[in-house]
Amino acid sequence: MHSVYRNFYRQFYMRTGGFIPTKPLNQPVYPGDFFQIRNGEMVMLGNIFRGGLIHRDEAGLLYGAALNPIGWQCSDGVSKPYSGRGSGQGALMGDFQYSKQVLAFDKAGSFMFKGNDPQSVRMGNFNAIRQSLIIHLTQTHYSFRELYLVTEVATAADWTLVIAGSDKAELEIATDKENFGLVDLFGHTASRTIQSKDIECYHREANRRPGFYRAKKLVVQEEQTGVWVNERLNLAFDQHEWAAGFFKDQFYHEPASRFAYGAPVQASILDLLRANELNPNTALLYFGWTDANLDDVEKLFQTYEQ
């Protein structure tokens, strides 16, 4: 997906309180799905309920929770240079009146989104199953080291999205319904597209397809990371002295400094654990869950080609 979508994904996350559109756009996603992000794509790997890791009663699924509709009607960089009414003639209906509106976009990535009656289905009992999930996903059923778990999905009765492909993008929409308010023209079932220019995406979903989600991310516990970093720094501090006594060549080195060894922090603590040190009894010491955030949204637009 082109990076022109990035602005919409970021804005949508912030305005809806943490929901992320699926990628590709409108791909169905369900509570309990788990996935990884690879080359800017969501790679679906399974579902904790379908795989028998957790029974649905344990998760306490809550259905039909109403969401704040304010965040589900949003735009960025959109103006309305024309709104008005006109008249026309039809072969069957004769003269008729219609309402018309032109939307102008000030840059590539400018967008308008409207979703009606948003609702969600979520795990109401995640805290009670979070530890069991860590053991299942990292030890007993799978051996994941990075993973996203969908804990809530959102739907709308219907939704419409338009994204500009350039700063010259325009969209002209109209309806022939009587007494129709111009403010509500975009995204209404009675509206029709008359013409468009430089529009990258124009999508309308008329069903409650679960295409938005909140997720938890599997992470390494900060406490264990701190212990590991200190151990690595201590080893690095003595590295020159050890090398001088071990190798026959007289390698030159600067006086040792603890602050010169920041690189090990970038390595993976899990890759350096001793054999069998990570097991079902110790997994909870090393792993935890955190909410997916804007950094994870950015990963959806990081590809190998960039």
Side-chain angles (χ1 to χ4, degrees):
M1 185 185 293
H2 196 276
S3 60
V4 74
Y5 286 71
R6 179 189 280 114
N7 183 45
F8 165 65
Y9 275 68
R10 289 179 58 85
Q11 294 286 342
F12 189 88
Y13 172 90
M14 292 185 290
R15 300 190 189 195
T16 60
F19 282 100
I20 304 171
T22 54
K23 189 182 180 194
L25 192 65
N26 212 30
Q27 171 183 305
V29 65
Y30 304 97
D33 282 354
F34 51 89
F35 64 93
Q36 293 177 336
I37 298 177
R38 289 284 182 264
N39 195 27
E41 297 293 336
M42 295 173 62
V43 180
M44 290 296 178
L45 300 171
N47 184 286
I48 62 172
F49 302 118
R50 187 174 183 179
L53 278 66
I54 296 292
H55 192 276
R56 62 181 177 184
D57 292 340
E58 296 179 85
L61 293 173
L62 302 175
Y63 297 88
L67 300 173
N68 188 340
I70 295 177
W72 290 74
Q73 298 188 26
C74 55
S75 64
D76 181 62
V78 181
S79 61
K80 300 174 182 178
Y82 176 83
S83 295
R85 293 184 63 82
S87 60
Q89 288 186 332
L92 299 178
M93 301 176 58
D95 295 340
F96 64 92
Q97 299 290 317
Y98 63 90
S99 300
K100 185 174 74 170
Q101 194 168 75
V102 175
L103 304 179
F105 303 82
D106 64 10
K107 62 182 180 298
S110 294
F111 72 91
M112 179 172 281
F113 175 88
K114 182 178 181 182
N116 294 309
D117 188 24
Q119 298 180 7
S120 81
V121 178
R122 65 183 176 89
M123 298 183 195
N125 203 27
F126 179 76
N127 283 337
I129 62 176
R130 58 189 298 147
Q131 293 185 343
S132 177
L133 284 172
I134 287 174
I135 295 173
H136 286 315
L137 291 169
T138 68
Q139 298 298 310
T140 58
H141 282 73
Y142 302 97
S143 56
F144 291 117
R145 297 297 180 261
E146 56 179 294
L147 196 70
Y148 296 88
L149 173 66
V150 176
T151 56
E152 184 173 8
V153 300
T155 65
D158 59 82
W159 60 267
T160 307
L161 169 68
V162 59
I163 301 177
S166 78
D167 58 358
K168 298 179 176 60
E170 288 186 351
L171 181 70
E172 183 177 342
I173 49 181
T175 182
D176 59 359
K177 297 299 182 182
E178 294 289 337
N179 301 319
F180 195 87
L182 289 173
V183 174
D184 300 320
L185 199 56
F186 176 79
H188 196 278
T189 55
S191 298
R192 298 291 182 268
T193 300
I194 305 302
Q195 61 180 359
S196 63
K197 175 184 177 183
D198 290 350
I199 297 298
E200 177 73 20
C201 167
Y202 186 87
H203 183 89
R204 176 170 175 78
E205 175 58 55
N207 302 295
R208 283 198 175 276
R209 186 187 301 271
F212 311 93
Y213 65 94
R214 283 179 173 146
K216 297 289 185 180
K217 178 171 59 174
L218 187 68
V219 295
V220 177
Q221 296 277 26
E222 292 185 2
E223 294 83 355
Q224 291 299 320
T225 302
V227 172
W228 174 80
V229 168
N230 285 332
E231 291 178 351
R232 295 303 100 190
L233 289 176
N234 287 334
L235 288 174
F237 184 72
D238 297 331
Q239 182 78 353
H240 292 319
E241 286 73 12
W242 168 84
F246 183 83
F247 296 105
K248 294 181 180 180
D249 288 278
Q250 297 300 308
F251 295 114
Y252 173 79
H253 63 84
E254 298 287 347
S257 171
R258 294 180 62 89
F259 300 102
Y261 298 97
V265 178
Q266 306 300 321
S268 171
I269 176 177
L270 302 176
D271 292 339
L272 293 176
L273 292 179
R274 296 179 179 86
N276 299 322
E277 190 172 348
L278 180 60
N279 56 61
N281 294 322
T282 62
L284 298 181
L285 294 175
Y286 292 98
F287 290 105
W289 296 103
T290 188
D291 293 330
N293 55 37
L294 278 177
D295 290 337
D296 303 297
V297 175
E298 280 298 315
K299 289 181 181 179
L300 293 171
F301 299 94
Q302 295 174 358
T303 62
Y304 300 144
E305 291 80 12
Q306 290 180 341

